[in-house]
């Protein structure tokens, strides 16, 4: 089941689901828009203020300003905002596992023409899914590779 804006608001107010740096205007009818905290173009030092310029045919990573704490029975799915898709940005997103805690690192590729990506703009939407029961082993127990991450984390090479 996908959680509505009203249900998400209640879960956040109850402290069951946590979004640090939460902004009520980022609610969508069926999710929450995440904002850009920093951008790394082709793995270079992240830009943390102003506007990141993404050349055509270039890979980049974004970290979110929001820091999430997912409970054991809610998972998240990430979708690019259509504003960016219409500008030729193709993302590589996945699921956010139940029990995950941290900022999100999002990966994308610019296909069309040079794009300016302002720090603080909304970039993607998280859609929250209620699972049929608590996960037997949440993200932190199964792998937890990125548990507690802050900022862009490109992983291990």
């Amino acid at each position: 089941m996908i959680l509505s804006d009203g249900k998400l608001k209640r879960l956040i107010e109850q402290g069951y689901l946590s979004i640090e740096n939460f902004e009520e205007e980022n609610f969508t009818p069926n999710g929450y828009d995440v904002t850009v905290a920093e951008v790394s173009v082709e793995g270079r030092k992240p830009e943390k203020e102003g506007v990141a310029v993404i050349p055509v045919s270039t890979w980049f990573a974004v970290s979110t300003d929001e820091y999430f704490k997912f409970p054991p029975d809610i998972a998240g799915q990430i979708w690019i905002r259509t504003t960016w898709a219409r500008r030729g940005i193709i993302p590589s997103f996945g699921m956010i596992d139940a029990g995950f805690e941290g900022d999100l690192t999002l990966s994308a590729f610019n296909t069309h023409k040079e794009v300016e990506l302002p720090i603080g703009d909304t970039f993607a939407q998280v859609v929250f899914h209620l699972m049929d029961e608590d996960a037997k082993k949440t993200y932190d127990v199964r792998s937890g590779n990125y548990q507690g991450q802050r900022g862009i984390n490109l992983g291990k090479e």
Side-chain angles (χ1 to χ4, degrees):
M1 169 178 32
I2 294 174
L3 300 178
S4 70
D5 54 354
K7 178 71 170 180
L8 288 170
K9 185 175 181 179
R10 287 190 299 278
L11 291 173
I12 291 166
E13 287 170 348
Q14 294 165 2
Y16 189 69
L17 171 69
S18 175
I19 304 176
E20 194 176 296
N21 298 323
F22 168 81
E23 296 288 340
E24 186 149 353
E25 62 266 15
N26 285 14
F27 271 132
T28 67
N30 52 281
Y32 185 86
D33 284 344
V34 292
T35 56
V36 176
E38 56 186 24
V39 179
S40 173
V41 178
E42 294 187 329
R44 292 192 294 274
K45 182 179 176 183
E47 297 180 45
K48 299 181 180 186
E49 55 186 35
V51 176
V53 177
I54 316 297
V56 68
S57 298
T58 302
W59 171 83
F60 64 100
V62 170
S63 73
T64 62
D65 193 39
E66 293 78 11
Y67 185 95
F68 293 90
K69 291 182 184 178
F70 277 76
D73 65 343
I74 295 177
Q77 193 171 25
I78 309 165
W79 295 85
I80 192 160
R81 294 195 67 227
T82 60
T83 300
W84 298 107
R86 291 174 183 158
R87 294 179 186 165
I89 303 299
I90 298 176
S92 176
F93 298 162
M95 293 291 291
I96 304 166
D97 290 327
F100 172 78
E101 175 181 329
D103 295 342
L104 303 177
T105 297
L106 309 174
S107 177
F109 189 80
N110 180 12
T111 66
H112 183 56
K113 61 182 179 180
E114 184 176 278
V115 170
E116 293 185 352
L117 178 55
I119 305 302
D121 261 20
T122 53
F123 183 71
Q125 178 189 66
V126 176
V127 176
F128 298 82
H129 297 267
L130 182 62
M131 298 166 43
D132 63 349
E133 63 182 16
D134 285 3
K136 299 284 186 243
K137 292 183 180 179
T138 54
Y139 176 78
D140 55 321
V141 175
R142 287 210 181 262
S143 69
N145 291 333
Y146 304 105
Q147 190 76 338
Q149 73 182 8
R150 296 237 183 220
I152 292 174
N153 185 342
L154 301 179
K156 301 173 185 136
E157 292 190 23

